[in-house]
Amino acid sequence: MNEQANPPDQNIPASAPQKAAIQPPAGPGLLHTLQRPLPAAVAILALLLAVQAWSSHSRINTLRRDMAQSLQKGNAVNAETAALAREVSDTAKELQIKVGVLESRQSEAQTQQLALEQLYQDLSKNRDEWALSEVEQVLNTASQQLQLAGNVQGALIALQNADRSLGRSDKPQFLNIRRAIGADIERLKAMPAVDLAGVALRLDNVIAQVDTLPMLSDEKPLLPAAPVRSTRQGASATPAAPENLGLGQRMLQTWRNWSQEMWDDVRQLVRVRSVDTPEALMLSPTESFFVRENLKLRLLNARLALLSRNEAAFRDDLGSAQAILLKYFDTRARATQSAQNALRQVQANNLTIEMPTLSESLNAVRNYKAKQ
């Protein structure tokens, strides 16, 4: 390196005093020698420093880019985190609201459950009292129906329902009440049965026939049957054939037949009837209508008295209806006779049956309730 920097002078002869050049003075030559490689070292150092500076600058730029990218990623992550945090916050608020609603509903459910438990306890406590009250009400209704309308079947059904209701509770305390109800049931079953429905239907049939019954004042009364003609020889004799009779006998037979037919026609023109009440023949159509309506009213009153078991009113109305039939209607007609027979059958029924009371069952229920 020193040789390239300071090449030897080729024009200097070999014989020239080289020793002086080769061997400079000790003091200045050493310093010069020491100072000559310094620029190269400085250059190398500068180059190294430049390389180091460039490398540092590159690294710094790389770090800046990395830092910028990291900051960008961090900002993006922070934004996403903030968005997630907002979503989580909103979700948490919604959950808090839902939790509050659920808590309120749970408290309401608990309140309702407590109320239901209290109600169930009240029901379990008062079940016996309610069952007895229901049985007492049923027995009162059955007793009223039995005394007012004589409804034996209805009373039996009511007693059986009351016994079944007490049997479902399966309480030994109700044995006395059930025993009394059973006694009343047997007493009702032993009573004689009266077919009130059948008697009422017969009265309804008679009421429906009133408008068709013939009256004494009708313009077209029923005609009597034509008389049966008999011959002189008797009912067993057979008439002779017309070919075997003579002219006189045939003329006599013809005259006899003609005279009998004329007499029958004359008999049909005039009728003689014996009527106990002549005023029945003088009724006008309007009065006939009111007579029929009066008969219907009597029969309807008898039907109501039958259903209410009013023996006196029932007998009185039926007697009045029979009297109207005898006075104003044609008793020879089959329809009138059928109506009279139906009324006689209805009148033959006995309604004076003493209905038992349900006092034994009612007293058993009331005594049990009084002891509670």
Side-chain angles (χ1 to χ4, degrees):
M1 184 176 179
N2 294 329
E3 292 179 356
Q4 291 178 359
N6 298 314
D9 193 0
Q10 296 178 3
N11 298 321
I12 299 174
S15 61
Q18 295 180 359
K19 293 181 181 180
I22 296 172
Q23 294 180 358
L30 181 59
L31 182 60
H32 180 72
T33 302
L34 292 175
Q35 292 178 351
R36 290 182 64 183
L38 184 60
V42 171
I44 293 171
L45 182 59
L47 180 61
L48 293 174
L49 290 174
V51 172
Q52 184 67 29
W54 178 79
S55 178
S56 299
H57 184 69
S58 298
R59 291 180 180 177
I60 291 172
N61 290 333
T62 303
L63 290 174
R64 287 179 179 176
R65 286 195 299 271
D66 295 339
M67 288 295 295
Q69 293 177 356
S70 299
L71 289 175
Q72 291 178 356
K73 291 181 181 180
N75 292 332
V77 171
N78 291 333
E80 293 177 358
T81 304
L84 290 175
R86 285 193 298 271
E87 293 179 359
V88 170
S89 178
D90 295 338
T91 305
K93 291 180 181 179
E94 293 178 358
L95 290 176
Q96 289 178 355
I97 295 173
K98 291 181 179 180
V99 168
V101 173
L102 290 176
E103 289 179 352
S104 62
R105 289 182 179 178
Q106 184 180 3
S107 61
E108 292 177 0
Q110 291 177 353
T111 304
Q112 293 177 357
Q113 184 178 0
L114 293 175
L116 289 175
E117 290 178 355
Q118 184 65 31
L119 181 61
Y120 178 76
Q121 292 177 359
D122 295 339
L123 288 174
S124 61
K125 291 179 181 178
N126 299 328
R127 184 179 301 172
D128 295 342
E129 297 179 0
W130 291 352
L132 290 175
S133 299
E134 182 181 0
V135 169
E136 184 180 6
Q137 183 66 29
V138 170
L139 293 177
N140 281 325
T141 305
S143 179
Q144 293 174 3
Q145 290 291 326
L146 192 63
Q147 296 300 321
L148 296 178
N151 191 357
V152 178
Q153 294 298 325
L156 276 174
I157 294 173
L159 288 174
Q160 291 172 357
N161 291 334
D163 184 68
R164 192 179 302 112
S165 177
L166 293 176
R168 284 196 298 266
S169 61
D170 196 14
K171 295 291 183 64
Q173 297 87 345
F174 296 157
L175 290 178
N176 292 330
I177 301 175
R178 296 187 64 185
R179 189 179 295 110
I181 292 175
D184 287 335
I185 290 175
E186 295 299 328
R187 191 178 299 110
L188 290 178
K189 288 182 178 180
M191 289 184 59
V194 179
D195 189 11
L196 297 180
V199 176
L201 287 177
R202 289 183 180 180
L203 287 176
D204 292 339
N205 292 331
V206 176
I207 293 171
Q209 295 175 4
V210 169
D211 292 331
T212 61
L213 296 179
M215 298 185 68
L216 294 175
S217 61
D218 289 343
E219 295 181 359
K220 294 182 180 180
L222 294 176
L223 297 178
V228 179
R229 298 170 184 172
S230 61
T231 61
R232 291 181 180 179
Q233 292 81 5
S236 60
T238 58
E243 294 81 2
N244 300 328
L245 298 176
L247 179 60
Q249 292 179 347
R250 283 186 291 180
M251 291 179 63
L252 182 60
Q253 185 177 2
T254 302
W255 169 255
R256 187 182 295 113
N257 293 334
W258 180 79
S259 62
Q260 288 180 352
E261 290 178 358
M262 184 176 63
W263 176 245
D264 292 340
D265 292 338
V266 172
R267 288 179 60 190
Q268 295 292 334
L269 292 177
V270 179
R271 296 182 58 195
V272 178
R273 291 185 297 176
S274 177
V275 180
D276 296 334
T277 55
E279 64 273 10
L281 298 174
M282 307 299 293
L283 293 178
S284 64
T286 304
E287 292 174 343
S288 299
F289 170 77
F290 283 112
V291 168
R292 294 182 188 273
E293 294 299 319
N294 189 20
L295 178 59
K296 290 181 183 178
L297 287 176
R298 287 292 183 179
L299 294 175
L300 287 174
N301 289 335
R303 188 177 186 276
L304 292 176
L306 171 68
L307 297 178
S308 61
R309 291 183 177 272
N310 190 346
E311 181 77 14
F314 177 72
R315 302 291 178 188
D316 183 60
D317 290 327
L318 284 181
S320 300
Q322 291 278 24
I324 292 173
L325 285 174
L326 289 174
K327 184 176 181 179
Y328 295 102
F329 290 85
D330 189 2
T331 57
R332 294 178 302 173
R334 290 185 178 180
T336 306
Q337 293 176 0
S338 176
Q340 287 178 329
N341 292 331
L343 291 180
R344 291 191 192 98
Q345 293 176 1
V346 168
Q347 200 169 7
N349 290 277
N350 185 16
L351 303 182
T352 58
I353 300 176
E354 185 178 358
M355 291 295 168
T357 61
L358 304 180
S359 58
E360 186 175 353
S361 300
L362 288 171
N363 291 333
V365 173
R366 290 166 183 170
N367 290 335
Y368 181 83
K369 290 178 66 176
K371 293 177 181 179
Q372 298 298 321

